[in-house]
Amino acid sequence: MGPPLRLNAVAFVSAQNHPILIRTFSQPKQDELKYHYIAHTSLDVIDERITAAGATKSTGCYLGLLYVEDVAVYGFMTPTKVKIIIALELSDNVVRDADVITIFKALHTAYRRSVANPFLRLNVPSDNVTDHSLLVAAGGQKWKLFRQRIDEICGAVTLPGAAA
Amino acid sequence: MNNGNSNAPQRATITYTAPHTFLATEHWKQVYAALLSQLPLRNLHWKSASRPNIRTIQELDVNLVPAEGRRDEHTSQIPQTVLEKPLLNAYIVVCDDAETYKNTVKKQIKDWHTSATQRKNQEWLIIHVVRPDSKAAAQRMFQMKTSVLDKIRADFNMEKKDRCVQLVWSYDSQDNLTVWAELINKLKEGILSAFDTAITQREDEVKRSEGQRQMPGWNFCTFFILKESLATSFEGMNLHDDALETYNELEALFFEVLKEKNLSWFGTLITPAPKDDSVPLLSTSKKPYRDLILANTISIFDFRIYLLARQCAILHNMHHLIEVAQKSVAFLGAFGRRLREVEDSLPKFFVESWTYASALSVVEQCDAWAKGLEFPKVALASFNALKGELVELARHQLDTIGIRVGHLPNRPPFSIGLPSQVSQTLGKSVSNRTSLQISQGEVVKALSDKDAFFTLYVKITNRAIELYAAAGRRKFALKMHGSLAALDVHRDRLTNALQTFSSLPAHYAPHGWTSLEAYMLCQALDIHSSVGKARDRDWVYILLDFLKAYIQDLGKELLMVESDHMNYVTDLVEALRVAAQSAPSEMTHHDHPAISVTISDGNARTAEGRDGAVLDVILNNMLPCPLPMDEVSVSLSGRDGSKIHFVENVKSLSPGKNKMPLFCHSAAAGTYSLHSAQIKMSNLTLQWVHSPPPTGKASRAKRPPVLVRIPKDLHAVDIRLRQSQRIQLGKTPSIVAVFTPGRNHIRTATVKLTAPSGIQFKFGEASLLSASNGELVTSDDSITLSGVELNTSVSISIPHSDASAFHAMRVNIIVEYTTTAEPDVHRTLQLVRFVLTALPVAINVEDFFRGTRLFTRFTLSSTSPQHVRILTTDLISQGKGNDGLKIVRSRSQTRRLTTITPAQPGRFLFQMDSVRGQERDPLHLRITYRMLREEVEQVIESVIDTVLEASESSRTKRPEILEILVQALEKDASWVSLYELTGELVIPNVSTEDEGIGEALDEIKKMLNQPRQLEEFSSEWREIVIPVDVPQMHILASASLQIASNPFSRDPARSLDLFAGQPIHAILTIRTSFHWAPTEDSHTSSYQMRFDIEEMSKDWLVSGRKRGDFTALDNNTFTTSVTLIALHHGELPLPKVAVTALPIPGEGRMKAPLLPSCETYQVHGAQTVLVLPRGGRSTFVVNMGESP
């Protein structure tokens, strides 16, 4: 049972590296740019990790600590290659991977449930159901529930005792 | 170690002892040197009871020291590495002689052995050095005696383990490895065994101590030193994995202690010492760490650094430099954060300076360690990436410092590196600073000197960019570029910044990182305006890109710089309008997503009151402000590539959805697909091409075509084509174009016809047909009509080149016209029409010659499924009528229409009587006809006109009513047969929603249902004129076979009774006439001919001249007689007589025989003769039976 983690930002990035949703929770709004940068730059590191993982035939979704830049950036890739990136407040404590993975699993579930929304396919021509823009659209302003779910997860993580 | 670290691990030690006399000899020196050359030991396999796997030590350096010089230090309380004491003690014996051994050497060994065996955790070994030759000699001489070695063994080696070894060595054999093998093995065994015992013992101690952790009096530092001794021992034995593992366990334990908040064993978190912020991070010797630990006064700062440095040192020994960098980055980040908690008690900028210096020192250290190491490609990339991260970390410290000192503004991207809570406390007055100053030279200089700061900033950033580029981390490098550009902005190097900010968006756009793209574009726009650069084409494109990014969800998120989006964007859009106006040339931008143009309904409307169609489109403006513009247009493409444009002038487009009707003044009815939409704003055109170009990439997502149907406007200008009223074969064909202006007064209308099949229209010879108003001007490629009144129609006959090869002709029509109502609007109508070119009827001719008369029968049949109504057929001589040809038409009593269909042809018979030998004028067959459909349409139209005469209101509805009726008739054919006979037109079910029409419609139906004389119905009749030649015949022969009166009969007038079997005298008469001979052959007075009486072997026997030649003369008769015998009784036809002309020998040189044409008719062809049965009696005698 570690000390509570502080979740600063969550980013969902599609398999084609399109941002789906970038959500920041830290207070000064100025940091928004920082987390967008983090989400973007993390893709480089994730690529490196995937290449490395491909060499070792590892199949885990969890990509571990990507890098440290005044926040600790962790990565996760779902089986459909959607990347989830979170930025945790740096602390001098040991962050257990299990805790981070729990967060990722919760985020992944939130995304999965949002993409399963049948109304996403409304107004989309039926012949390109595989179009990934659909999956990107899940993060749009229109779909409030997804954001709400993410915010709930963040709240649960930051509350002490809820992370595990 | 290569950095001169005094904490170099202790090596394993072997002591040796030997008699002083031997040690002084040259022989020993040689042996010693040879032994050293065998070191270091290789491939040691350590099997420990407490570890599951065998550890292999690839290489082990060993110290070989004389035992004398080495004094047992009194054991200190501080646990040292187990290697501090020798692991192995060796005694070297040189003695070939058993006697000597017994007397002196044994004693010496005994003394040594006693002391060696007493030492704990040490092994001993006796090495018996012999020369090979002496050994051989000894063996020969004392075969039966035990050797000295055996004796030594017997004396000292009490245990099972053999601790005695013989080294057979001479100076000559030093290269021979086998000589050493046994000794080396023994050395390895000894070392490992001793090491194992020592480690096991030490590990037990550690375990015991760890077990007491919860007890009072346990001290972390003491424990740390104890356990660290294990690590250094492992390190000394080159067991790096185990050493690292030990340190990791220590680190974990430290964190556990930290969590328990039990840090009484440490000093303060940090007691900054001078230079603390500038010394290399990974040096373990920069402070007396172990002493500090032992004294329980080490600060956590120092302790953590020490731990990290030790770990990194071991990692370096394992050549795991990537992990060194990784660990350092994580440590600097995490511990830097920790230090900030006590920042107030530290020298100003200590944390930044320390992080900066440490990060750079780690990079240098790594580079130094990496020298001479080969990395695989992937590893090299990640090594570079981590170094990049370190440099970036250092850069972030510069950001922080810069903002605090005021070199940099406190806003993104510089404030990115600021730790969040620190940025809040920024500017707080700091009271209890220590008097210490930071010592990192570069940082100190940068603090005071702004330019030095910038130079340093750029240098460090560029270094990070280089490293990231080498690592393939493009996105990191982009971020760094962005910060450099931001610095340029701050330093007022705007041109550079503008260049960077204009080029960066392109990197973010492709994957939809609109937030970053919008940020960069926004920066670029700001710089652009602050530079005061002209708002040129580039600026417009940047702005459009910005708006594109802006309307995306993510795009707005980063624009917090602008407090009021709405105003910001409104200003930009206004600026865009101004820029578009002043732009020197046209600009086109494709597929801008800020505005979308959709067609609300697939059906266009007709524009009431004027020609054209109206299409409703929905324009969705996603910008938050109105968008000024000039014009909206939508292009539709129809079949054959024809395009129509719907246009509307719009001043401004308010945000959200706008529905607006677009007008197209010349829209032909039909189905079109959406091609593109355009918005014009002065010189700027925004375009959305809907249908992909034919050569477009397949990867582009296919959008389904959007179809638009344009209804037919019955009151609009229209052109119909039809076959010419009068078709005369052999003359230039022509078609009739019927121009109906509908509701318009036409000022001018230019009509162009083209036929894709290659048929040429002769516009120059076009002419107005009668009953047409307006004026016609012809030119080479078009005809122009002017002054056409409304609701009239103009028919123009246009000749064209031969089209008989085609059944129908496709004609593309382009009409450009202006109306008096809208003289400025030039409308262009594109139409496609089909017109039949084939004759509607097929004609067959049969001729029958009878003397001076000729009967001609024409058989007309319809070539199409349509019914053709034929009024009259006339055969007309084209001459003046003085050629003596009289034509008589067979005339039925009443003038009636004849209907011909493909199944029911019509026959028309004419008789001609001619005078011989005259040149005959050609004849024309003129057929007056109309198609059933046309007739019915005209009937309906006339009825409609009569009915509508009464009601003024529904007159405008005339085209609609006509349309309804025609459609009703097309659906059902049951009315046809009744109509053809009686003229009563029964309209099948008709319904209409229009109240006004309904009443009139009923009346019209009633009137149509009355019988009418269609012959009298005045409507347009069509004509076909076909040239017909009067047929010619050289010889016309009439053959007759006449039964001659019985020469014996008294009454020649009395008809003859003929009996079967009776010979009958018959006269064959052939009358020949040259009446129909062609005029050029009229001089011929005679032809040679042949007759042939038909063989009718079942009916007649012919006797006499059955076949014969004769000379035929004009109007002459050839007579011959034959005898016929009827073979049976009954009505028998007389045999036919075939008469043929014989070829005339050719005249002149050619000599080709000429066969004159000849036709024969049988005068008696329909005659039969009655043949009676033969009369008379016959007697038959029948035998009635035999008499007895």
Side-chain angles (χ1 to χ4, degrees):
Chain A
M1 196 40 241
L5 303 168
R6 270 186 58 92
L7 189 56
N8 277 6
V10 175
F12 289 82
V13 180
S14 78
Q16 283 80 7
N17 285 350
H18 286 231
I20 298 171
L21 178 71
I22 298 171
R23 201 95 180 107
T24 53
F25 304 109
S26 66
Q27 265 322 299
K29 271 313 234 180
Q30 285 197 343
D31 282 357
E32 203 99 337
L33 177 66
K34 165 160 118 187
Y35 292 113
H36 281 252
Y37 263 141
I38 284 176
H40 188 242
T41 48
S42 295
L43 296 177
D44 271 345
V45 189
I46 288 176
D47 279 349
E48 279 171 23
R49 293 289 157 89
I50 291 167
T51 324
T56 58
K57 302 263 187 333
S58 145
T59 50
C61 292
Y62 179 58
L63 300 169
L65 179 69
L66 298 180
Y67 67 103
V68 175
E69 184 207 280
D70 138 77
V71 287
V73 184
Y74 290 83
F76 184 89
M77 191 166 77
T78 72
T80 54
K81 305 223 183 309
V82 170
K83 292 131 193 160
I84 308 176
I85 299 152
I86 60 172
L88 291 177
E89 184 81 36
L90 259 191
S91 77
D92 202 18
N93 299 314
V94 179
V95 176
R96 286 189 303 165
D97 279 351
D99 293 344
V100 184
I101 291 175
T102 312
I103 299 173
F104 275 128
K105 293 231 162 110
L107 291 170
H108 184 197
T109 308
Y111 175 70
R112 234 172 37 216
R113 290 176 60 188
S114 301
V115 166
N117 178 2
F119 292 101
L120 277 180
R121 282 171 176 74
L122 200 68
N123 299 332
V124 174
S126 56
D127 54 340
N128 49 6
V129 273
T130 52
D131 192 356
H132 85 279
S133 66
L134 197 70
L135 305 178
V136 175
Q141 293 278 10
K142 255 202 281 187
W143 310 105
K144 298 198 177 65
L145 192 57
F146 184 34
R147 282 149 192 264
Q148 204 177 312
R149 282 182 187 133
I150 302 296
D151 293 357
E152 275 167 21
I153 291 167
C154 170
V157 168
T158 316
L159 277 180
Chain B
M1 291 192 78
N2 40 7
N3 59 350
N5 201 327
S6 69
N7 281 24
Q10 183 81 45
R11 284 182 185 178
T13 313
I14 302 173
T15 65
Y16 61 86
T17 319
H20 292 288
T21 46
F22 175 64
L23 287 182
T25 59
E26 195 65 25
H27 182 210
W28 162 244
K29 280 175 186 156
Q30 285 168 1
V31 171
Y32 182 71
L35 184 57
L36 281 183
S37 74
Q38 294 302 317
L39 300 176
L41 299 173
R42 284 169 213 279
N43 291 327
L44 284 78
H45 299 283
W46 176 42
K47 192 168 185 308
S48 159
S50 59
R51 285 171 176 76
N53 297 329
I54 292 179
R55 304 292 158 106
T56 301
I57 303 165
Q58 299 289 349
E59 194 178 292
L60 184 64
D61 275 328
V62 178
N63 280 347
L64 201 59
V65 293
E68 267 83 37
R70 199 185 161 79
R71 198 171 42 79
D72 271 357
E73 300 150 29
H74 44 271
T75 42
S76 99
Q77 289 300 100
I78 309 160
Q80 296 289 342
T81 163
V82 296
L83 304 181
E84 198 174 18
K85 291 177 187 165
L87 289 175
L88 185 68
N89 300 302
Y91 191 85
I92 296 153
V93 184
V94 185
C95 175
D96 300 336
D97 179 8
E99 283 306 308
T100 328
Y101 168 72
K102 206 182 274 175
N103 297 339
T104 55
V105 177
K106 186 176 175 183
K107 170 106 187 9
Q108 288 167 355
I109 299 177
K110 187 99 187 162
D111 292 345
W112 170 81
H113 184 248
T114 320
S115 73
T117 45
Q118 275 170 357
R119 295 188 190 162
K120 266 203 273 176
N121 302 333
Q122 295 186 18
E123 281 286 333
W124 58 269
L125 183 68
I126 299 170
I127 306 167
H128 185 218
V129 180
V130 285
R131 289 172 193 274
D133 48 345
S134 70
K135 188 189 168 201
Q139 276 179 352
R140 238 179 287 125
M141 285 170 71
F142 308 102
Q143 285 266 300
M144 305 308 292
K145 276 181 91 177
T146 49
S147 70
V148 174
L149 180 67
D150 292 334
K151 283 205 167 105
I152 296 171
R153 276 208 183 106
D155 288 339
F156 299 102
N157 206 9
M158 306 302 178
E159 296 157 61
K160 214 163 108 193
K161 198 169 170 186
D162 186 10
R163 290 193 171 93
C164 301
V165 67
Q166 195 169 44
L167 176 66
V168 184
W169 186 87
S170 76
Y171 187 73
D172 315 318
S173 64
Q174 57 177 321
D175 291 335
N176 193 352
L177 285 178
T178 50
V179 170
W180 294 98
E182 199 186 355
L183 173 62
I184 295 292
N185 270 341
K186 286 289 173 201
L187 285 179
K188 284 184 191 171
E189 253 173 49
I191 286 174
L192 283 179
S193 154
F195 177 71
D196 187 45
T197 345
I199 285 291
T200 316
Q201 195 188 354
R202 188 61 61 85
E203 277 179 335
D204 288 345
E205 274 173 53
V206 169
K207 248 178 227 153
R208 202 162 48 240
S209 174
E210 199 171 2
Q212 294 166 344
R213 190 153 74 88
Q214 302 302 333
M215 292 189 185
W218 185 80
N219 185 320
F220 178 79
C221 290
T222 321
F223 176 74
F224 180 86
I225 295 292
L226 177 65
K227 189 154 184 178
E228 196 194 11
S229 72
L230 265 181
T232 40
S233 306
F234 287 132
E235 204 186 349
M237 291 294 283
N238 283 351
L239 289 162
H240 298 300
D241 283 322
D242 293 275
L244 186 63
E245 179 61 30
T246 312
Y247 274 114
N248 286 351
E249 281 167 21
L250 277 173
E251 193 181 14
L253 186 67
F254 169 78
F255 279 113
E256 224 166 293
V257 167
L258 188 70
K259 207 154 65 177
E260 288 160 7
K261 309 264 184 230
N262 191 355
L263 296 171
S264 54
W265 306 291
F266 294 100
T268 47
L269 176 63
I270 178 168
T271 40
K275 300 271 182 193
D276 251 0
D277 61 322
S278 53
V279 285
L281 180 69
L282 296 185
S283 155
T284 50
S285 61
K286 57 183 180 275
K287 282 188 186 178
Y289 288 111
R290 278 177 64 91
D291 296 346
L292 287 170
I293 294 171
L294 278 173
N296 282 353
T297 53
I298 190 162
S299 64
I300 291 177
F301 174 75
D302 287 332
F303 175 75
R304 294 287 303 273
I305 291 178
Y306 176 65
L307 195 56
L308 176 80
R310 291 292 301 146
Q311 284 171 324
C312 289
I314 292 168
L315 283 170
H316 159 239
N317 285 333
M318 296 162 74
H319 301 312
H320 288 180
L321 287 186
I322 293 171
E323 281 169 45
V324 170
Q326 219 162 13
K327 258 193 144 58
S328 309
V329 177
F331 172 75
L332 286 175
F335 200 66
R337 167 58 52 94
R338 185 74 190 280
L339 284 181
R340 284 192 199 283
E341 290 166 14
V342 293
E343 201 176 15
D344 292 351
S345 62
L346 296 174
K348 209 174 177 193
F349 300 126
F350 177 83
V351 181
E352 289 79 17
S353 172
W354 172 74
T355 316
Y356 174 85
S358 302
L360 293 183
S361 76
V362 170
V363 174
E364 273 157 32
Q365 183 71 72
C366 283
D367 280 339
W369 282 342
K371 252 173 218 154
L373 284 182
E374 288 280 329
F375 286 100
K377 203 179 158 213
V378 178
L380 185 64
S382 36
F383 184 46
N384 278 329
L386 286 162
K387 282 195 285 181
E389 279 179 29
L390 281 165
V391 176
E392 196 189 332
L393 187 65
R395 222 294 307 281
H396 282 312
Q397 308 315 311
L398 291 181
D399 279 326
T400 317
I401 294 171
I403 291 175
R404 295 231 201 143
V405 174
H407 292 337
L408 293 175
N410 181 16
R411 58 174 165 82
F414 306 115
S415 60
I416 281 179
L418 283 185
S420 40
Q421 64 263 56
V422 175
S423 57
Q424 289 166 332
T425 61
L426 199 80
K428 258 192 207 167
S429 63
V430 180
S431 51
N432 52 346
R433 287 262 189 232
T434 52
S435 55
L436 278 169
Q437 292 293 320
I438 55 163
S439 54
Q440 218 289 333
E442 286 173 328
V443 177
V444 173
K445 192 166 179 234
L447 278 178
S448 52
D449 186 347
K450 202 167 179 174
D451 283 333
F453 174 81
F454 288 142
T455 320
L456 184 62
Y457 191 93
V458 171
K459 192 185 100 190
I460 295 289
T461 311
N462 277 330
R463 202 166 153 199
I465 290 174
E466 269 169 41
L467 286 168
Y468 280 139
R473 285 193 176 178
R474 208 173 54 85
K475 299 183 176 78
F476 281 90
L478 285 178
K479 184 170 97 174
M480 293 285 105
H481 277 297
S483 59
L484 272 188
L487 182 70
D488 279 336
V489 174
H490 179 63
R491 295 171 79 185
D492 272 339
R493 300 188 172 180
L494 294 176
T495 330
N496 278 348
L498 180 60
Q499 204 177 355
T500 317
F501 276 127
S502 317
S503 63
L504 279 177
H507 296 283
Y508 292 111
H511 286 297
W513 287 86
T514 46
S515 49
L516 294 171
E517 189 193 355
Y519 175 78
M520 300 302 162
L521 289 166
C522 178
Q523 296 290 323
L525 288 175
D526 286 351
I527 297 164
H528 204 288
S529 58
S530 46
V531 177
K533 231 175 134 183
R535 294 188 162 162
D536 53 1
R537 179 176 283 262
D538 291 339
W539 182 83
V540 170
Y541 283 128
I542 291 175
L543 178 55
L544 286 173
D545 281 342
F546 171 74
L547 291 178
K548 184 191 280 182
Y550 175 77
I551 53 120
Q552 315 272 327
D553 272 347
L554 286 169
K556 293 186 195 89
E557 288 187 10
L558 286 189
L559 293 178
M560 288 302 149
V561 198
E562 307 305 327
S563 51
D564 192 349
H565 284 207
M566 180 80 175
N567 284 344
Y568 184 65
V569 176
T570 313
D571 290 349
L572 284 179
V573 168
E574 175 59 23
L576 174 67
R577 190 186 62 78
V578 175
Q581 253 169 14
S582 56
S585 60
E586 293 273 330
M587 289 179 280
T588 307
H589 192 271
H590 289 280
D591 295 327
H592 199 281
I595 300 161
S596 71
V597 181
T598 45
I599 289 177
S600 62
D601 178 17
N603 293 310
R605 293 176 280 134
T606 54
E608 300 300 328
R610 55 177 179 164
D611 285 10
V614 177
L615 182 68
D616 287 322
V617 295
I618 294 173
L619 292 155
N620 193 358
N621 178 7
M622 281 163 244
L623 295 174
C625 59
L627 183 72
M629 61 173 76
D630 299 336
E631 183 188 285
V632 182
S633 66
V634 167
S635 298
L636 306 180
S637 56
R639 317 195 303 177
D640 319 312
S642 65
K643 272 197 189 150
I644 57 175
H645 304 279
F646 286 82
V647 187
E648 191 64 50
N649 292 331
V650 183
K651 277 261 147 46
S652 159
L653 194 64
S654 50
K657 289 191 173 178
N658 297 265
K659 184 172 178 172
M660 54 182 60
L662 304 186
F663 178 68
C664 171
H665 51 64
S666 39
T671 304
Y672 293 81
S673 75
L674 175 62
H675 176 257
S676 65
Q678 283 192 35
I679 286 181
K680 260 188 99 102
M681 185 195 295
S682 309
N683 278 330
L684 176 66
T685 307
L686 301 179
Q687 195 177 41
W688 298 266
V689 176
H690 187 86
S691 52
T695 53
K697 281 181 253 166
S699 63
R700 195 170 154 181
K702 263 192 188 166
R703 279 173 288 190
V706 176
L707 294 183
V708 178
R709 276 164 295 279
I710 294 177
K712 189 168 170 61
D713 186 357
L714 297 168
H715 299 286
V717 166
D718 195 12
I719 283 200
R720 279 168 295 154
L721 296 181
R722 58 177 202 218
Q723 265 183 318
S724 173
Q725 292 293 98
R726 185 183 161 89
I727 301 170
Q728 187 163 359
L729 292 188
K731 289 213 173 157
T732 312
S734 63
I735 56 169
V736 174
V738 183
F739 179 84
T740 47
R743 61 167 82 82
N744 305 296
H745 287 276
I746 298 296
R747 286 181 76 208
T748 56
T750 308
V751 181
K752 279 182 201 171
L753 307 184
T754 49
S757 53
I759 294 162
Q760 299 296 317
F761 291 97
K762 297 165 183 165
F763 296 105
E765 296 163 32
S767 59
L768 279 178
L769 294 179
S770 58
S772 296
N773 61 12
E775 284 173 36
L776 179 73
V777 179
T778 61
S779 70
D780 281 347
D781 59 345
S782 63
I783 50 177
T784 307
L785 284 168
S786 51
V788 184
E789 293 296 309
L790 77 166
N791 286 337
T792 54
S793 73
V794 180
S795 301
I796 309 139
S797 168
I798 305 164
H800 60 84
S801 60
D802 182 43
S804 54
F806 305 98
H807 182 71
M809 165 162 73
R810 177 201 162 116
V811 184
N812 297 335
I813 308 174
I814 299 173
V815 193
E816 289 166 23
Y817 64 97
T818 52
T819 62
T820 48
E822 293 165 294
D824 300 330
V825 183
H826 293 269
R827 289 179 159 95
T828 306
L829 199 60
Q830 291 189 29
L831 300 165
V832 176
R833 295 279 187 254
F834 291 89
V835 62
L836 273 179
T837 52
L839 288 181
V841 290
I843 299 162
N844 270 317
V845 192
E846 284 172 285
D847 289 324
F848 306 94
F849 294 95
R850 291 292 183 274
T852 59
R853 293 193 177 153
L854 169 67
F855 298 90
T856 302
R857 186 172 71 187
F858 295 95
T859 307
L860 305 186
S861 54
S862 174
T863 52
S864 65
Q866 292 209 43
H867 292 198
V868 182
R869 309 273 273 165
I870 293 178
L871 183 67
T872 54
T873 48
D874 289 305
L875 194 60
I876 303 154
S877 166
Q878 291 306 100
K880 291 171 188 144
N882 53 2
D883 59 347
L885 189 71
K886 279 181 250 167
I887 300 170
V888 182
R889 183 178 181 280
S890 85
R891 200 180 284 273
S892 51
Q893 286 88 339
T894 51
R895 189 165 171 250
R896 275 208 62 116
L897 279 173
T898 316
T899 306
I900 59 168
T901 64
Q904 185 193 13
R907 294 199 172 83
F908 302 91
L909 191 64
F910 296 91
Q911 185 219 68
M912 282 173 268
D913 199 347
S914 69
V915 175
R916 171 148 200 237
Q918 291 226 2
E919 196 71 32
R920 288 171 191 123
D921 293 323
L923 302 178
H924 275 180
L925 176 68
R926 192 174 68 204
I927 307 167
T928 312
Y929 73 101
R930 61 189 172 205
M931 308 305 281
L932 180 67
R933 187 191 164 100
E934 288 171 345
E935 180 183 288
V936 172
E937 275 178 19
Q938 278 163 357
V939 166
I940 294 173
E941 274 181 58
S942 75
V943 171
I944 290 174
D945 286 343
T946 342
V947 172
L948 293 187
E949 196 78 14
S951 65
E952 193 73 30
S953 60
S954 43
R955 185 168 299 166
T956 51
K957 304 283 187 189
R958 184 179 181 275
E960 284 86 347
I961 295 173
L962 182 63
E963 189 83 7
I964 290 168
L965 291 173
V966 169
Q967 274 174 10
L969 292 174
E970 275 172 354
K971 279 178 197 154
D972 190 354
S974 58
W975 52 272
V976 174
S977 44
L978 179 64
Y979 169 79
E980 281 179 354
L981 286 171
T982 64
E984 292 171 34
L985 195 55
V986 182
I987 308 287
N989 291 335
V990 171
S991 60
T992 174
E993 288 102 52
D994 197 331
E995 278 301 312
I997 296 177
E999 211 172 293
L1001 199 62
D1002 287 342
E1003 203 170 334
I1004 292 164
K1005 277 170 77 174
K1006 210 185 285 168
M1007 282 187 69
L1008 285 174
N1009 212 349
Q1010 290 165 359
R1012 60 177 60 77
Q1013 280 299 105
L1014 286 167
E1015 294 79 8
E1016 311 304 330
F1017 180 74
S1018 65
S1019 75
E1020 288 177 34
W1021 290 98
R1022 293 170 174 273
E1023 265 184 10
I1024 301 178
V1025 177
I1026 301 165
V1028 181
D1029 282 328
V1030 179
Q1032 293 169 331
M1033 192 62 65
H1034 284 106
I1035 309 149
L1036 182 65
S1038 59
S1040 73
L1041 198 60
Q1042 270 181 315
I1043 307 292
S1045 53
N1046 194 335
F1048 313 108
S1049 168
R1050 291 223 176 97
D1051 183 2
R1054 189 182 150 228
S1055 66
L1056 210 54
D1057 286 340
L1058 303 177
F1059 297 94
Q1062 178 192 10
I1064 303 166
H1065 182 68
I1067 298 164
L1068 174 67
T1069 315
I1070 299 171
R1071 185 176 171 79
T1072 48
S1073 160
F1074 301 159
H1075 183 85
W1076 293 98
T1079 38
E1080 65 270 21
D1081 289 336
S1082 55
H1083 58 274
T1084 315
S1085 56
S1086 69
Y1087 294 97
Q1088 282 299 314
M1089 301 199 74
R1090 173 173 294 169
F1091 71 89
D1092 191 358
I1093 298 171
E1094 184 190 19
E1095 190 90 5
M1096 294 176 78
S1097 52
K1098 279 187 180 164
D1099 296 336
W1100 300 99
L1101 281 179
V1102 182
S1103 153
R1105 202 173 162 200
K1106 202 178 145 194
R1107 177 189 293 168
D1109 292 352
F1110 63 95
T1111 305
L1113 297 170
D1114 189 22
N1115 273 331
N1116 209 336
T1117 309
F1118 164 76
T1119 310
T1120 183
S1121 63
V1122 288
T1123 304
L1124 300 172
I1125 298 173
L1127 291 178
H1128 58 93
H1129 64 268
E1131 290 268 357
L1132 300 181
L1134 286 167
K1136 299 239 163 22
V1137 183
V1139 179
T1140 50
L1142 293 176
I1144 310 164
E1147 291 159 22
R1149 288 176 206 156
M1150 294 300 287
K1151 302 221 167 167
L1154 270 173
L1155 189 65
S1157 58
C1158 165
E1159 195 177 279
T1160 311
Y1161 72 89
Q1162 311 288 327
V1163 177
H1164 61 277
Q1167 278 182 16
T1168 52
V1169 288
L1170 179 68
V1171 179
L1172 300 173
R1174 177 96 168 245
R1177 271 178 294 180
S1178 298
T1179 305
F1180 299 91
V1181 180
V1182 180
N1183 189 359
M1184 296 303 283
E1186 229 167 291
S1187 57

